[in-house]
Amino acid sequence: MKTVAIIGAGAAGCFCAAELRRMAPDVAVTVFEAGPRPMAKLAITGGGRCNLTNDFEGIRSLSDAYPRGERVMKRALKAFSNDDTIRWFTERGVPCTLQEDHCWFPCSQDAMDVVRCLLSAMDGADIRLGTPVSSIKELQDSFDYVVVTTGGMSRGASMFEGLDLEIVPPVPSLFTLNIPDKSLTALMGLVVDASISIPGTAFKADGPLLITDWGVSGPATLKLSSYAARYLAECQYKASVAINWLDRSENEVREMLKESASHNPQKQISNTPLLQQRLWEHIISKAGLRRDIRWAELGSKGLNRLTAVLTQDSYPVSGKGKFKEEFVTAGGIGLSNIDLSTLESKKYPGLLFAGEVLDIDAITGGFNLQAAWSTGYVCAHSILNSL
């Protein structure tokens, strides 16, 4: 009887185990998990609702969704796509629903339904909880195949000692930004569709932006943190960001302002907002304009200042916040170590990797879980094909 050890009972590891049990019930599968519960992170992801995947609409290039690992994900998604994910869970009693933001969730909005589904599909696997693995080399002596699915490598890197593997240093990804500007944080609770960028770089993201009591959050901020994860780490999270509150070009915004001035020459600018009232008043103040100024009094200099604040509103960043439900790590096992099609180590036959332990990570919106499903599937079927 062939034996498979899976290190880590997270989404990737459990999905790999489920596929092995489904396709080859005569293969002995043992799952080692250091924690007290399987899929503990999966149970709280998406605010406890479990964002299973995304419909990928609007994703022009996979690098837009996967800042690191695009080449692997291109192959993995061909093997097991987002449509396959929805079909797999639906067929096993977890019907799914697509939201307007392109995210797929269980219809029940309960992540535990996904956890229970995977546990049922893993039936017959030996799940050893509270059992950390200290050495992969030792485990390889006892099993025919070892699949590493330990998640982010902020901890547990010691198990790789004795193996000649390139490890990309891990850094946080998907986090909020601390902005020590009280005039901005006074607007906490406001959500606006905007774009946010890091001046002097190509890093930019758009989408809903949430103003918090510590700075900014929301999908736009989380995407930016993913794209700029390594850059921000190198800067020790001391940088600046520029917010385009209307997510439009400078020329478009200038024309919008001119049109508003043309239609409302005698009205006060503060009484004819282009954005939510509190935010609009904040922008007028940042532009150095009187609150009671009328459109007819704006002039070219005032128009330029207002345009600049609307399109390039700059703030200092003093650090990062933790977005616990979606915390992801960039870095891990370097992709140069593995066969991109099978996810097997080039140097160590029978050693495979899936999920976040690889140098693969994604923006928020179900893309990271899709990477777990797809890479877990590839590992399982790579083993099956070699039997």
Side-chain angles (χ1 to χ4, degrees):
M1 177 184 290
K2 293 295 184 179
T3 57
V4 178
I6 297 175
I7 310 174
C14 289
F15 195 78
C16 180
E19 277 296 288
L20 286 169
R21 293 299 302 155
R22 179 177 75 91
M23 298 295 293
D26 57 332
V27 171
V29 178
T30 304
V31 182
F32 296 89
E33 169 56 44
R37 299 186 308 278
M39 294 174 277
K41 185 177 176 181
L42 183 64
I44 62 171
T45 189
R49 298 188 300 131
C50 193
N51 184 183
L52 282 166
T53 186
N54 195 284
D55 69 359
F56 283 74
E57 185 175 330
I59 300 298
R60 294 160 297 183
S61 166
L62 272 185
S63 62
D64 291 343
Y66 296 96
R68 288 153 291 272
E70 172 193 6
R71 289 193 302 148
V72 170
M73 287 309 302
K74 186 175 183 179
R75 291 171 169 82
L77 285 166
K78 284 183 178 178
F80 192 82
S81 70
N82 53 323
D83 292 334
D84 293 326
T85 295
I86 299 307
R87 189 179 304 111
W88 196 95
F89 282 101
T90 300
E91 289 175 352
R92 287 159 182 78
V94 183
C96 304
T97 181
L98 180 63
Q99 296 188 165
E100 289 185 4
D101 60 0
H102 308 296
C103 296
W104 280 98
F105 285 86
C107 290
S108 65
Q109 303 289 297
D110 186 354
M112 287 307 298
D113 284 349
V114 179
V115 171
R116 286 187 286 267
C117 172
L118 285 167
L119 285 174
S120 176
M122 293 167 63
D123 186 44
D126 179 11
I127 305 176
R128 301 184 185 180
L129 302 176
T131 310
V133 172
S134 58
S135 171
I136 290 175
K137 286 191 73 175
E138 290 180 9
L139 207 61
Q140 285 180 296
D141 294 335
S142 303
F143 291 85
D144 297 304
Y145 300 91
V146 175
V147 186
V148 184
T149 63
T150 49
M153 288 190 63
S154 54
R155 295 187 298 272
S158 60
M159 73 173 68
F160 296 98
E161 289 180 4
L163 296 176
D164 183 17
L165 295 171
E166 178 207 1
I167 297 178
V168 180
V171 298
S173 179
L174 290 186
F175 48 83
T176 62
L177 298 175
N178 297 336
I179 295 178
D181 187 313
K182 292 182 179 179
S183 67
L184 179 70
T185 56
L187 304 173
M188 61 177 291
L190 289 184
V191 179
V192 59
D193 284 324
S195 62
I196 182 170
S197 60
I198 299 177
T201 75
F203 300 122
K204 179 181 177 182
D206 55 25
L209 182 79
L210 169 65
I211 302 174
T212 69
D213 60 348
W214 67 85
V216 290
S217 181
T221 303
L222 295 175
K223 280 198 287 184
L224 181 71
S225 74
S226 178
Y227 295 148
R230 294 209 168 277
Y231 174 86
L232 289 170
E234 290 168 3
C235 295
Q236 298 184 318
Y237 306 100
K238 301 292 191 294
S240 64
V241 294
I243 301 174
N244 184 325
W245 293 107
L246 293 168
D247 193 19
R248 299 195 180 197
S249 71
E250 186 175 322
N251 286 338
E252 288 177 312
V253 171
R254 191 184 305 277
E255 290 305 312
M256 288 174 66
L257 294 175
K258 286 180 177 179
E259 185 177 350
S260 190
S262 173
H263 287 100
N264 309 285
Q266 297 307 314
K267 286 188 177 181
Q268 292 182 0
I269 292 177
S270 60
N271 291 336
T272 49
L274 297 185
L275 290 161
Q276 298 172 65
Q277 186 66 42
R278 284 196 298 151
L279 177 58
W280 183 240
E281 291 176 2
H282 166 74
I283 288 167
I284 291 172
S285 176
K286 281 208 73 175
L289 302 173
R290 300 191 326 269
R291 190 177 182 281
D292 62 349
I293 191 172
R294 300 178 188 278
W295 284 103
E297 303 174 278
L298 187 59
S300 60
K301 288 185 179 179
L303 178 68
N304 290 339
R305 292 205 301 268
L306 193 54
T307 300
V309 175
L310 282 167
T311 57
Q312 304 173 52
D313 194 8
S314 183
Y315 296 93
V317 174
S318 61
K320 65 177 177 63
K322 290 184 178 179
F323 196 69
K324 294 180 180 178
E325 290 82 1
E326 299 289 352
F327 190 79
V328 170
T329 300
I333 298 298
L335 302 183
S336 61
N337 295 284
I338 63 169
D339 182 313
L340 299 186
S341 296
T342 65
L343 302 185
E344 185 175 23
S345 168
K346 292 177 180 178
K347 292 183 178 179
Y348 305 101
L351 178 62
L352 302 95
F353 302 90
E356 200 184 333
V357 71
L358 289 164
D359 187 20
I360 300 173
D361 65 283
I363 61 175
T364 188
F367 298 103
N368 282 294
L369 268 184
Q370 182 59 54
W373 313 135
S374 294
T375 56
Y377 179 94
V378 169
C379 282
H381 286 260
S382 294
I383 292 171
L384 294 170
N385 290 337
S386 71
L387 293 176

